[in-house]
Structure formats: structure tokens, C-alpha cells
Amino acid sequence: MISGPDIITYIGVPLAVLGVLPIIYNTIATLATLAKVRRALRHGRLAGITRGDVINHVIEVELPRYTIAPLHRYEHDDYWRLCSYPSQIPGGSWTLFNWRTNIIGLKTQRIDYSDQLRQPQAEIGFEELLSFLLDLGAVPDAIGFHLLRGSGLWVPKGTPLLVSPDGHEKALTIGSLDDSDGHLSLSVRWSSDWSMRDQSSLPPYWVLIKGHTPTPKKHESDVTEDAKDHVDEETKTLIASDEKIISPSSSDEKESKTSKYIPKSTLSAPAIRCQVGLHGLMSAVSDDIDAHMFDGLDTQHLQVDETGTNTTGIWFASAITAFGTSSQTILWNYKIPSDILSFAKKDTIPCGVLVLLDMVEESATPEWATQYNDAEEDRAAQLRGLRESSRALMAEASMTPTERSRAVRDRQMKQHEDWVESLNAKRRRDAQRAETRTMEALQSPRWGNKLVADHALKWLRRTHPELVDEDWDLAICVENLLHRMITDVSFALTIGKMLDSWHAFYVNGGIRKAEYTSLQEDKLNFVYAALILAIIEGSVSAAHGSLAADLQECVRIWKVVRLG
């Protein structure tokens, strides 16, 4: 017969052991999960607080949330290196790079398993992030930014915004919204196998301006001298040989010691790096020195204050922004003023004025001037003079010698007076016609700035071949002008004054005779101003609906993003 102790021994004890097993399992599982979490935190060098409830198998993890910013480009070598201990926890993709960090709060997570752990996303300025990745060598994805601009937070997860330097892999993508709190969520990826730019490369918001030197042209006198030198070549060779025997190394040593200090006219001027900020040009440094080690060039004449009184600086900032955004970069700070954009897009110069300035053939313009038939009038006047002379000769034939001599003197005097009067009449007529032609030119159809610049550049090549080469296009010419405006204060002020006067007669309804006279006296600077306006007009049409416009609009909408 089974007794009570036997029941307790054989049934109660096993049941008690089975009741304790879940607690034991939870304890072991909790400790194992806690060890994995701490190992993951230790691998990523994350300062987190972990707590485990062994009874309920619940783990609490407190991780800091950071706001991050890129390191200084020139002061820290880690700017160009990947982090040696990136976090493997989801949400910590931002730890691939080295950042300046600041803790802005703590986030507590309650997890059951280690794979549920999430690292809090870091906050960063969207513009700072794009500038940093573009500086490293990432390439924007036009479709991604177009979708982000149109759809906002509804853009599918994984949509690329930036791709690798070779364009084959994703670098910056749309991330999950789980931890974004209404911010735009992004995820970053980078591989050490990707080619990365270095400190010598041009950073965002900087534009490289090169100074081009035209090829020296040979004049007729130079050709004559070359022919003469060719005739005397043998004699000069013998003389040079004798001099070399007398002093074999003096000339070579003198050239080698001094030639490096003498600027060659055929060498281009050093390129200049220009930093363009929200209000215009901020600094400019020579490209052949380190930007962080030496003081920049003097650009006080091109810097714009908040009042906007320095119009030359505004014109320069607009021109360099147009040049940079159309040829080198898609990310910029300065926004060209709306009145300058409107001015650049308008037709402002009458085609007749360009004809009078000898920049355009009249046959290439619409008919605008009155046509005169002077040949018919001159032929009629000549026939009238011949008839009068014939009648006078017939009358003189029937006169006495004394009367004939008096009549001849009177006839010759009258012919001279008529000739003088005809010259005066022709001069008055030509002056009147010139005045009429000028007024008709001012009222002729207006041409756009791009067309004006094309003809102005042709005139510059034709009349000033020492200033431009035949193969220079609009961009090279404007780049040369910008370079000269930085280094030559008086030239910059002259160009700014010309653009101000051009803008003034546009605002006042059109060009008048006084403005035409000033253009006639300063054709070269007018051509320079036309080239600058053409590059601004080109940037307006190029940026409309482009990647640059989409990117700038996204930066304007999303000031701060979550990166994880």
C-alpha cells in the first residue's frame, strides 16, 4: 500500500523540479542574452547601461542618443578614414565614420533577445551629411532626390540618395521610420575598397577658378625678324660658339639661377579656390598652397555685407555661383537674387545697337533701319550740273572776249560755291541720317543676353586676339574674368559699374542715347559684362528641373535628419 511519504517522494518532488525549470531556463537565457548584448556594446565601444530580470526574462538597455557633425577637414586625418570599431547593431550605421559627437538624451529599450537590440539613430544636419559624403567622393542619385522632393516620408525604404564613387553600390539610402520621430530617416554604407578623395580635392561650396593665358600671337614684324634671323643663323651660331668658348657656363648659370623667379608670359596664373557662402564670397586662396596654413587673398572688394551695398560683390557671387553650379558642383550656399535672375533672362540689348557697335553685321539682323537711294540722287544732280554747264558754255561762245572772261570767272565761282554747298548739304544730311539711324537702332528688336554674348565673343576674338584664343568658349572666358576680378580690384569695380548701368537702363525701360554713347566708349567692358550675364542666364535654364534644384529643395525642407 502506497503511503503519503511515497506520494510526496515520487510525485511531489518531480513536480516541484518541473516548476523550477522555467525559472532556471529564464535565468540562463537572460544571462546569455545579457552577455551577447554587453559583448555587442563592448565591440562598438558604446557606453550603455544594461539590466536583466532573470525571473521574467526581460533585459533593459539604456543607450545614449547623439547629435553628430563631421570633423574638421584639414585638422583631423580621421576625417578621411573609416572608424576602426564600427557598431554592428542595427541603427548604428553612422558609426562607420569618425564624428564629433554630443549626447542629447538616453533611450531605454526592453528586449527579450539580443537581435532585438537597436542603436538609437544619430541626429545630423542634412546639408552637413551631404557635404561630408560628397566630399568623400559619393555621387548623387538623381532619381532618389527627385522622389524625395516629391514624396517626402512616403519614399520607399532603401531608395538611394547617394551611390558609391563608381556608381555601382548604394552609399546613402532611405531608412526605417521606427526610430525617426517624424524626421527623415537615413542609412549610410561605405566600403574601404571604394576610392576616396583626399585633402587636396576641392570641398563642397568651393569653386576652383583657373587663370587662362592666351597663346602669344606673332605679328608681321615678328615674322620679318624671324626671316632675318634665319638668314643670319650661321653667323649667329658661330658668334654664339665663340662666346661659349670664352665663357662656357656663365649664361647657363645665370639663367638657371634667375629664370625660376621670372614669370613666363606663356604660363597660366595660379588657380584660385573660392569659398562661396550664404552672402557671397567668403574667402579665396591660391590653389598651389594649403588653404588652412596660409592667409587667403584680399577679397574685401568682392565681399557682400548684409545691407547689400557692394553691388560688385553681388555680381561676382552671382557669376561664380552660375559658373560653379553649371560646371563643377551641385551643392551651393549662395542664392542668386531674383532681380538678377529676371534681368539675365530678359531681352535687353537692341540688335541695331550691336550693329552700330560693329559687333554684328546688319544683314544678320531683322530689318530695322531706313534704306536710302543716294546713287539716284547723285546721278540726277550730276546730270543737272552738266546741263547747266553746257548752257553756260553755249552762252559764252556768243560773247565778246571781255564778257567771255568775266562769264568764265562767274561760272567757275558759282561751280565752286555749288560744290561747297553740296558738301555742306551732304554733311548735314549724313549727320541727320546718323541721328535717325541711332534712334532707329535704339528702337530695334531686342536680343537675349546669350545671343548678345555669342556675337560679343566673336568680336572679342576678331579685334583683341591677344586676350582670347579661338578655341575658348563662354565658360573659359568667364572663368578668366572671375580670376581677374579677384586679383585686380579696379577691373572688378569697372565690371560691376558696367553691370549696374546695364541693369539700370533695363529697369528704366530700355537703353537710351546716353547709355549707348557710354557703351560706344567702353566696348570691351561691355563685352565682359555680356559674357557674365550669359553665364548667369545659362545657369537658370540648366538648374530648372535638374538634380541640383531637387537636392537644394530637399536640403531646404529637411534641416535635420536621423542617421542610423
Side-chain angles (χ1 to χ4, degrees), residues 199-232:
Q199 196 177 58
S200 62
S201 57
L202 193 68
Y205 305 117
W206 288 72
V207 181
L208 184 65
I209 302 297
K210 300 178 181 178
H212 303 272
T213 301
T215 305
K217 309 297 189 301
K218 275 195 174 184
H219 299 285
E220 186 177 353
S221 59
D222 298 332
V223 177
T224 305
E225 291 178 0
D226 291 344
K228 184 178 179 181
D229 293 341
H230 179 70
V231 173
D232 299 337

Side-chain angles (χ1 to χ4, degrees), residues 207-209 320-330 475 479 535 539 542:
V207 181
L208 184 65
I209 302 297
I320 196 173
T321 298
F323 172 78
T325 54
S326 60
S327 63
Q328 298 181 26
T329 182
I330 58 167
E479 186 176 18
I535 201 75
S539 70

Side-chain angles (χ1 to χ4, degrees), residues 173-455:
T173 58
I174 301 296
S176 174
L177 297 176
D178 295 342
D179 189 34
S180 64
D181 296 332
H183 293 81
L184 178 64
S185 178
L186 301 175
S187 178
V188 66
R189 177 179 176 271
W190 200 274
S191 173
S192 58
D193 297 332
W194 297 351
S195 60
M196 188 180 295
R197 306 204 312 165
D198 54 24
Q199 196 177 58
S200 62
S201 57
L202 193 68
Y205 305 117
W206 288 72
V207 181
L208 184 65
I209 302 297
K210 300 178 181 178
H212 303 272
T213 301
T215 305
K217 309 297 189 301
K218 275 195 174 184
H219 299 285
E220 186 177 353
S221 59
D222 298 332
V223 177
T224 305
E225 291 178 0
D226 291 344
K228 184 178 179 181
D229 293 341
H230 179 70
V231 173
D232 299 337
E233 181 179 358
E234 294 183 359
T235 305
K236 291 182 178 181
T237 303
L238 292 175
I239 295 174
S241 300
D242 294 339
E243 292 178 351
K244 189 172 183 180
I245 292 173
I246 297 172
S247 179
S249 61
S250 60
S251 61
D252 294 341
E253 290 178 356
K254 186 181 296 183
E255 181 180 1
S256 63
K257 290 180 180 179
T258 60
S259 59
K260 62 181 179 179
Y261 301 108
I262 301 175
K264 304 293 192 297
S265 59
T266 57
L267 295 179
S268 299
I272 298 176
R273 293 188 175 198
C274 299
Q275 183 183 12
V276 183
L278 292 173
H279 300 291
L281 182 66
M282 297 178 60
S283 62
V285 296
S286 181
D287 189 45
D288 56 0
I289 61 176
D290 292 335
H292 65 291
M293 294 179 60
F294 296 90
D295 294 334
L297 303 175
D298 183 13
T299 58
Q300 290 295 327
H301 61 290
L302 296 177
Q303 293 184 359
V304 183
D305 53 13
E306 295 182 357
T307 60
T309 55
N310 185 7
T311 56
T312 301
I314 296 176
W315 287 114
F316 179 85
S318 301
I320 196 173
T321 298
F323 172 78
T325 54
S326 60
S327 63
Q328 298 181 26
T329 182
I330 58 167
L331 189 63
W332 70 91
N333 272 331
Y334 186 76
K335 183 178 181 181
I336 301 176
S338 57
D339 58 335
I340 292 182
L341 290 176
S342 176
F343 169 47
K345 292 187 293 185
K346 295 294 184 180
D347 300 339
T348 56
I349 299 296
C351 61
V353 171
L354 298 177
V355 174
L356 297 184
L357 294 176
D358 196 26
M359 295 184 182
V360 181
E361 295 290 338
E362 187 171 354
S363 59
T365 64
E367 186 175 350
W368 55 272
T370 304
Q371 303 297 326
Y372 301 96
N373 191 2
D374 293 336
E376 186 66 27
E377 294 181 3
D378 294 341
R379 186 164 51 253
Q382 185 178 7
L383 292 176
R384 185 167 56 253
L386 290 175
R387 285 194 299 268
E388 292 178 355
S389 178
S390 176
R391 284 195 297 269
L393 291 174
M394 292 176 61
E396 292 172 1
S398 60
M399 294 180 183
T400 62
T402 303
E403 294 175 343
R404 184 182 300 112
S405 61
R406 186 185 301 111
V408 170
R409 286 195 306 270
D410 293 343
R411 177 171 56 82
Q412 291 177 348
M413 185 178 296
K414 184 177 183 304
Q415 288 179 348
H416 178 71
E417 292 175 353
D418 291 343
W419 178 73
V420 173
E421 180 62 27
S422 65
L423 289 180
N424 293 332
K426 186 175 183 300
R427 186 162 51 249
R428 290 192 298 269
R429 183 194 65 184
D430 291 344
Q432 180 63 35
R433 288 183 178 179
E435 182 69 19
T436 303
R437 183 176 175 82
T438 300
M439 300 308 298
E440 290 175 341
L442 297 178
Q443 301 298 325
S444 61
R446 299 178 182 180
W447 279 1
N449 294 321
K450 183 65 171 62
L451 185 57
V452 173
D454 291 340
H455 289 284

